[in-house]
Amino acid sequence: MHSWTDTLRFAFQPVVNLRTGAVAALETLARPETGDILAEARRDPELDGRLAVLAFRAAARKETLLPLHLNVFAATLADLGGLTPLHDAVRGAGRMPWEVTLDIVPPYTHVPHRALLEAVAALREQGFRISADGIGDGDVPLRLLTDLSPGLVKLDASLLARPAAVRAMRTLCEELGALVAVEGVETEHQCAAALAAGAQLAQGELFAPPARIPAVDVYVPSLAPGAPTVPRSGPSVREFVRPAAVLPLSASAERVRTLLTGSPDVSGVLLVDPAGQPVRSVHRSRFLLSMSTRYGHALYADRPAYKLGDPPRTVGVDATAWEVLDVVAVGGRDRTSDDVAVVDERGRCVGVVRLADLVRALAESRVEEAAGLNPLTRLPGSDAIVGEVDRRIAEGRAFALSWLDIDHFKQVNDGAGFAAGDELIRAVGGALQRAAGQARVGHIGGDDFLVLADEEALDPLAAAVLDASWTAGGRPVTLSLATVVCAPGSVGDHHQAAAQLAPLKKAAKALRGGSWVLGRAGLPGQEVRRGVPGPAPAQTGFAAAEPQR
């Protein structure tokens, strides 16, 4: 008598890191030759649990070192309270539970939420990682999604037509400490949209279709112009995590050698304790060099591999790329090419990052940043400021946008010469940059500057530039400052913020002396914080004054 398992096959589809182009994991997908086993599994939790075990065993037979993604219905977890047979199968195959991510699949309707959350907590305790699948095309309540607190959220590609929704999910995931993946990516346009919206991972036909043999090479389009650049604080290390080659601390040197010689793309092996915490790091080149000496194999083959390893270099999952470089910079120069282990809040290994990936991304960001710098002040132009304004608006964050310029600047150039004018612009730009702290300063051309800051940073910043004594060619010069404070929801984009700022700029220019006018978006009135009302006088000592400043 034939069993339904006789006609069941599995295919593997890579999950791709959009930053590095590397395969981050493999999702195992059931492909029955007849019938609809998935529809049956949706109704039968026991059957769905058996499918998860079979999917894992199918991947284990391929002897892949990549982390695995397995699908399981939300109702299955709520009904079974966990997946003990899967945990036993993972341990029996010599893999670790934290190398397996469980993609929780809709529907969620009629699923007891308390039972689901208790099952997920039990799976986490065993070491499994949790992903929320089908977001945007499923029925997961937002409150349940936050309670699940998944490490990965998989969005349906249909959401890419609604970039504001994807950006909002990215913001939520940052609060949850989760990555964002987009499923079903079929075109380069969708890939570019996923990048622009902030997704770190993706999968779909564009990169590689599901196949019986796990894909070694995938197609990833180049990072398109206009895609998000690296923030000043540096990108998150999560964007660069590659799968780690992991073996137990008790592994022999011969076992490590077999792994390395059979996997030329593996640059090193991490030896972990039973809890999954890295204890030793085995570097490919140094290890194989030791083993290949005249007596190396005879000396080391049957001995523990940790004797040929080094203490691991580790960073937390919340580290930035710059913090990883700080870790690499500490220690001997012979270890600069070592992978850095990335560990979760329990110290368990979630993957590794390679120095080359970080250097490439940071170098590209610096090239992009340098291309946008004003040659006179070496400050970024308006694009960097308005981009950050739109990000804050999308994230629902308050901000203060300020415009500053030099009064009667044409008369400064005419009276003191362009060299004195350029020197004055450089001095004002330098003072703004020194006083900015966490604020963003941009030089948008001529004598005009933009400053993006939190409201509480305004007073010290204004004092630093308005209370200073400015001169050009030995003659006194004053500055004008206008600020619009934007509460969450008060403006829709940077165009509206600029429109709110324009009348405040006009009001500041109408005052005498160093001036500062502040207003609040969507509210009437304005506050004169510096300056004297009345017509602005001619700038003493320069050419004939213009009627307005």
Side-chain angles (χ1 to χ4, degrees):
M1 182 177 178
H2 292 287
S3 167
W4 58 266
T5 58
D6 294 337
T7 59
L8 183 62
R9 301 291 182 268
F10 291 91
F12 306 94
Q13 186 170 45
V15 180
V16 177
N17 185 314
L18 293 175
R19 172 71 70 176
T20 66
V23 178
L26 288 175
E27 181 172 353
T28 309
L29 304 166
R31 290 291 185 264
E33 294 181 2
T34 59
D36 191 349
I37 193 68
L38 294 181
E40 294 180 37
R42 182 182 298 178
R43 297 188 294 268
D44 185 346
E46 293 286 349
L47 175 58
D48 192 31
R50 291 173 64 192
L51 275 179
V53 173
L54 290 172
F56 170 77
R57 287 176 175 163
R61 286 195 294 270
K62 301 299 181 182
E63 297 184 348
T64 175
L65 295 173
L66 290 167
L68 304 174
H69 284 237
L70 305 177
N71 293 308
V72 61
F73 287 110
T76 296
L77 296 180
D79 187 272
L80 299 181
L83 297 172
T84 301
L86 176 62
H87 182 264
D88 294 341
V90 171
R91 287 293 192 178
R95 297 294 293 262
M96 304 294 183
W98 46 87
E99 298 177 75
V100 178
T101 296
L102 297 175
D103 291 350
I104 304 179
V105 180
Y108 289 84
T109 303
H110 307 308
V111 174
H113 291 180
R114 180 183 295 275
L116 175 60
L117 294 173
E118 289 175 353
V120 167
L123 289 165
R124 278 204 176 95
E125 188 62 31
Q126 290 176 334
F128 290 107
R129 303 190 187 281
I130 303 299
S131 165
D133 204 346
I135 304 303
D137 195 40
D139 60 347
V140 56
L142 189 59
R143 184 174 65 183
L144 177 60
L145 179 62
T146 57
D147 289 343
L148 284 172
S149 190
L152 175 67
V153 171
K154 288 188 172 183
L155 307 181
D156 187 83
S158 62
L159 272 188
L160 294 175
R162 301 165 179 82
V166 182
R167 287 195 298 270
M169 287 305 305
R170 169 67 189 263
T171 301
L172 173 61
C173 287
E174 288 177 350
E175 292 292 326
L176 297 176
L179 294 179
V180 176
V182 178
E183 295 183 291
V185 175
E186 297 180 350
T187 67
E188 294 196 9
H189 177 75
Q190 286 181 320
C191 182
L195 275 167
Q200 297 102 343
L201 304 172
Q203 58 189 119
E205 295 280 341
L206 175 67
F207 312 107
R212 296 289 175 82
I213 300 176
V216 176
D217 298 315
V218 294
Y219 170 71
V220 182
S222 299
L223 188 65
T229 55
V230 178
R232 293 174 73 187
S233 58
S236 168
V237 71
R238 295 169 184 264
E239 299 181 24
F240 302 95
V241 174
R242 291 175 176 264
V246 176
L247 288 176
L249 185 59
S250 59
S252 68
E254 178 61 20
R255 186 176 177 186
V256 172
R257 188 192 71 82
T258 300
L259 188 158
L260 291 174
T261 54
S263 307
D265 292 335
V266 173
S267 54
V269 176
L270 289 174
L271 304 177
V272 301
D273 64 15
Q277 298 179 351
V279 178
R280 302 295 281 181
S281 172
V282 178
H283 184 269
R284 180 188 189 89
S285 298
R286 294 197 299 274
F287 176 84
L288 293 179
L289 182 63
S290 298
M291 291 289 286
S292 63
T293 59
R294 185 174 182 181
Y295 301 108
H297 190 272
L299 284 172
Y300 299 116
D302 295 327
R303 302 181 68 185
Y306 73 81
K307 293 183 178 294
L308 294 175
D310 299 290
R313 291 175 167 178
T314 62
V315 295
V317 290
D318 296 323
T320 67
W322 291 111
E323 289 172 315
V324 177
L325 292 185
D326 290 339
V327 170
V328 173
V330 176
R333 298 176 63 181
D334 61 326
R335 296 196 62 192
T336 54
S337 63
D338 287 19
D339 293 343
V340 176
V342 182
V343 297
D344 63 14
E345 67 281 356
R346 298 186 183 183
R348 301 176 305 188
C349 178
V350 301
V352 295
V353 290
R354 294 180 180 176
L355 180 62
D357 290 337
L358 300 183
V359 172
R360 186 182 305 112
L362 294 174
E364 289 172 354
S365 74
R366 288 297 179 256
V367 169
E368 290 285 339
E369 185 178 303
L373 296 182
N374 186 288
L376 184 61
T377 59
R378 309 304 296 168
L379 289 171
S382 60
D383 287 349
I385 303 299
V386 299
E388 180 63 24
V389 167
D390 285 339
R391 277 191 290 275
R392 292 202 182 196
I393 292 172
E395 293 168 3
R397 297 169 57 193
F399 63 90
L401 182 64
S402 298
W403 162 91
L404 180 138
D405 82 341
I406 301 168
D407 296 330
H408 301 292
F409 185 70
K410 183 178 183 303
Q411 297 175 39
V412 171
N413 270 345
D414 291 345
F418 71 87
D422 286 352
E423 183 60 35
L424 178 60
I425 289 173
R426 278 193 291 268
V428 171
L432 273 175
Q433 197 169 26
R434 288 189 297 274
Q438 296 299 313
R440 298 292 304 273
V441 178
H443 182 186
I444 60 177
D447 62 319
D448 294 302
F449 297 88
L450 279 178
V451 182
L452 177 64
D454 295 326
E455 184 177 359
E456 56 267 23
L458 291 174
D459 285 327
L461 190 146
V465 291
L466 296 181
D467 291 346
S469 297
W470 299 104
T471 61
R475 301 174 176 88
V477 175
T478 57
L479 310 178
S480 292
L481 178 66
T483 299
V484 59
V485 178
C486 300
S490 61
V491 291
D493 57 25
H494 69 269
H495 296 288
Q496 293 182 18
Q500 296 274 344
L501 186 59
L504 302 174
K505 170 183 174 181
K506 183 176 180 181
K509 297 299 286 183
L511 299 173
R512 290 184 293 164
S515 60
W516 181 18
V517 173
L518 182 143
R520 298 184 182 276
L523 298 178
Q526 57 194 31
E527 177 186 352
V528 176
R529 294 196 168 186
R530 299 286 183 97
V532 179
Q539 191 76 14
T540 305
F542 289 122
E546 298 170 326
Q548 294 291 328
R549 291 167 65 195

